[in-house]
Amino acid sequence: DSGVTQTPKHLITATGQRVTLRCSPRSGDLSVYWYQQSLDQGLQFLIQYYNGEERAKGNILERFSAQQFPDLHSELNLSSLELGDSALYFCASSVLAGGNNSPLHFGNGTRLTVT
Amino acid sequence: AQKITQTQPGMFVQEKEAVTLDCTYDTSDPSYGLFWYKQPSSGEMIFLIYQGSYDQQNATEGRYSLNFQKARKSANLVISASQLGDSAMYFCAMSLFTSGTYKYIFGTGTRLKVLA
């Protein structure tokens, strides 16, 4: 168990809808990263938060947004969903803002299916 | 360009044998970290092992070892005495400090199948 909690585990929704994915980092970790993994693909970095502030942005669509709250949990909001947004969404946390000797610890992911 | 390359999309290994999964990286930064993750069919990402760029010795964690060859920019994962439960997707990743934070770059993965 990595200590990172993601909810829900599965989400099925229709095109055009909006969903919110939730992540609680490991106790003591200040940084949260969001990744998208499409079928049989590698991990695409979406966005990183550190102690409540956005630190880095990757290939995140304008329809997607995220935030990190004072209690350090994070939410990823996906709106105007399209079929291509179907993927496994991972949250990962790390001590501080990451580090070269600091692995990311991943949650179990939220599998989103857009129909 | 900062990049991780895993050239083996799929590998087979006989149970109880050792297997090496290849990973090469590209960066001009002297300071970086290298990590391996396992993703079983259930989907979760499990951290296995890491190596810092300044570490002199190869990292080991149980049956996992990281064969770090800095001059060749390779960080291959060696799994000894393979078990059926090792069947999974394996990802190599690199961390770099850029624009005030650490970025983690992942390879495309290698799917390992352990045969009984």
Side-chain angles (χ1 to χ4, degrees):
Chain A
D1 183 2
S2 68
V4 179
T5 304
Q6 281 190 256
T7 57
K9 196 176 171 82
H10 299 280
L11 203 47
I12 302 174
T13 190
T15 53
Q17 294 298 304
R18 172 189 166 95
V19 297
T20 297
L21 313 183
R22 185 188 166 103
C23 168
S24 293
R26 286 191 325 164
S27 177
D29 284 359
L30 299 178
S31 197
V32 167
Y33 294 72
W34 286 97
Y35 285 85
Q36 179 193 56
Q37 185 182 33
S38 300
L39 192 62
D40 285 337
Q41 300 273 318
L43 278 78
Q44 297 297 317
F45 169 63
L46 296 178
I47 197 163
Q48 180 207 0
Y49 281 83
Y50 172 69
N51 206 20
E53 293 188 0
E54 182 184 305
R55 264 296 175 105
K57 242 179 180 175
N59 301 322
I60 188 165
L61 299 171
E62 283 193 14
R63 300 183 284 109
F64 296 0
S65 65
Q67 54 185 325
Q68 186 179 30
F69 295 87
D71 67 352
L72 301 177
H73 91 271
S74 178
E75 292 180 357
L76 178 68
N77 300 296
L78 315 177
S79 61
S80 301
L81 285 166
E82 301 174 359
L83 295 178
D85 297 328
S86 295
L88 188 52
Y89 290 85
F90 282 109
C91 163
S93 71
S94 73
V95 170
L96 303 178
N100 288 338
N101 61 353
S102 179
L104 292 181
H105 294 276
F106 283 81
N108 287 343
T110 293
R111 187 169 295 281
L112 173 67
T113 303
V114 182
T115 61
Chain B
Q2 297 156 345
K3 193 179 175 183
I4 289 280
T5 302
Q6 295 180 254
T7 56
Q8 308 153 311
M11 291 275 290
F12 290 94
V13 65
Q14 208 64 39
E15 197 179 6
K16 299 180 186 173
E17 292 188 350
V19 63
T20 298
L21 306 184
D22 294 342
C23 172
T24 57
Y25 59 93
D26 187 12
T27 180
S28 56
D29 196 320
S31 180
Y32 49 88
L34 296 159
F35 307 86
W36 277 92
Y37 288 85
K38 172 184 179 181
Q39 186 178 36
S41 57
S42 48
E44 69 269 32
M45 290 285 286
I46 303 166
F47 164 66
L48 296 176
I49 193 169
Y50 95 92
Q51 178 93 35
S53 60
Y54 296 117
D55 293 343
Q56 297 293 316
Q57 291 192 317
N58 286 342
T60 59
E61 285 289 345
R63 294 187 298 110
Y64 304 110
S65 60
L66 200 153
N67 184 0
F68 180 45
Q69 297 189 46
K70 199 167 183 176
R72 300 176 75 175
K73 293 191 174 179
S74 74
N76 299 339
L77 177 71
V78 180
I79 306 175
S80 62
S82 296
Q83 301 172 356
L84 295 178
D86 294 333
S87 295
M89 195 77 167
Y90 289 82
F91 291 96
C92 179
M94 174 172 63
S95 64
L96 292 163
F97 188 75
T98 178
S99 302
T101 192
Y102 285 89
K103 181 168 66 172
Y104 293 78
I105 303 163
F106 285 79
T108 51
T110 295
R111 188 173 299 279
L112 176 68
K113 175 73 176 172
V114 180
L115 305 172

